[in-house]
Amino acid sequence: QSVLTQPPSASGTPGQRVTISCSGSSSNIGSNTVNWYQQLPGTAPKLLIYSNNQRPSGVPDRFSGSKSGTSASLAISGLQSEDEADYYCAAWDDSLNAVVFGGGTKLTVL
Amino acid sequence: QVQLQESGPGLVKPSETLSLTCAVSGYSISSGYYWGWIRQPPGKGLEWIGSIYHSGSTYYNPSLKSRVTISVDTSKNQFSLKLSSVTAADTAVYYCASRIAAAGRGGFDYWGQGTLVTVSS
């Protein structure tokens, strides 16, 4: 059981906009920033969004993040086949003094 | 460019200690914000194990804290993970990772490729 809650799966067709949610609590998302990671099949995770809505250099602006209260969302616009991957949200938890991850969302591009 | 590379035994016996090293190239381990370990059991999600900060402070996953030690060897530009009293539940791909630039609190912007460790007799 993960501390952060994500839907196990999401899907969309090429060109569509897809959003993935991440729900937490006051001790994690409610009081700290959220990071998002993309894990392509068979590879290491890659930082996709940090501090709720910032993109590291090289990440396309098709990817965006937002946060409201104790929830966060990752949006992918202009969906492409290469976006098919697992996506994880993460945040620091002040009660646990630990990094907590969501269970991951498997995105399928139909 | 910054590269992280995990190394260590791919097979560990139950009750023994899992030991992994992460060699850092292209960057001084004396710099950076923190260095950490994350694992992923086969077919499952990511689990943070712990991190060691530039100050030397360490933070560990509460569920693993009693069995985990993370340390840094600046002379070799590497950091290490030790996980004691392992069981089959510790079988996973182990990633080393770091925050060197911007990554948000607790975030990791550089990752190793991962190494599979199997716990079995």
Side-chain angles (χ1 to χ4, degrees), chain A residues 23-40:
Chain A
S23 177
S25 67
S26 58
S27 63
N28 42 65
I29 295 178
S31 51
N32 293 290
T33 60
V34 177
N35 301 313
W36 289 91
Y37 298 91
Q38 177 193 57
Q39 186 175 32
L40 297 170

Side-chain angles (χ1 to χ4, degrees), chain A residues 28-34 51-53 65-73:
Chain A
N28 42 65
I29 295 178
S31 51
N32 293 290
T33 60
V34 177
S51 296
N52 302 330
N53 55 20
S66 63
K67 186 186 103 168
S68 178
T70 59
S71 295
S73 292

Side-chain angles (χ1 to χ4, degrees), chain B residues 63-121:
Chain B
S63 68
L64 301 171
K65 188 173 185 176
S66 63
R67 300 193 290 131
V68 174
T69 302
I70 296 175
S71 59
V72 168
D73 186 338
T74 55
S75 67
K76 295 182 178 179
N77 215 45
Q78 63 186 33
F79 61 105
S80 300
L81 167 70
K82 290 189 186 301
L83 180 65
S84 64
S85 304
V86 298
T87 69
D90 295 310
T91 294
V93 174
Y94 285 75
Y95 296 100
C96 62
S98 67
R99 176 184 171 181
I100 291 175
R105 187 179 184 189
F108 299 95
D109 51 358
Y110 286 89
W111 293 67
Q113 64 184 26
T115 186
L116 174 63
V117 178
T118 301
V119 178
S120 175
S121 55

Side-chain angles (χ1 to χ4, degrees), chain B residues 6 10-12 17-19 26 51 57-58 60 68 74 84 88 90 97-98 114 120:
Chain B
E6 305 90 349
L11 181 64
V12 181
T17 296
L18 179 161
S19 295
S51 300
S57 298
T58 52
Y60 299 131
V68 174
T74 55
S84 64
D90 295 310
S98 67
S120 175

Side-chain angles (χ1 to χ4, degrees), chain A residues 20-107:
Chain A
I20 297 172
S21 62
C22 176
S23 177
S25 67
S26 58
S27 63
N28 42 65
I29 295 178
S31 51
N32 293 290
T33 60
V34 177
N35 301 313
W36 289 91
Y37 298 91
Q38 177 193 57
Q39 186 175 32
L40 297 170
T43 69
K46 167 191 168 183
L47 183 64
L48 194 65
I49 296 287
Y50 68 94
S51 296
N52 302 330
N53 55 20
Q54 302 299 301
R55 285 185 306 277
S57 175
V59 173
D61 58 7
R62 302 187 295 105
F63 295 91
S64 62
S66 63
K67 186 186 103 168
S68 178
T70 59
S71 295
S73 292
L74 172 71
I76 309 172
S77 60
L79 198 62
Q80 299 179 4
S81 58
E82 55 261 41
D83 298 333
E84 192 160 281
D86 293 325
Y87 293 85
Y88 294 89
C89 60
W92 182 264
D93 190 295
D94 290 334
S95 295
L96 297 173
N97 256 348
V99 175
V100 291
F101 282 96
T105 298
K106 184 177 184 60
L107 175 64

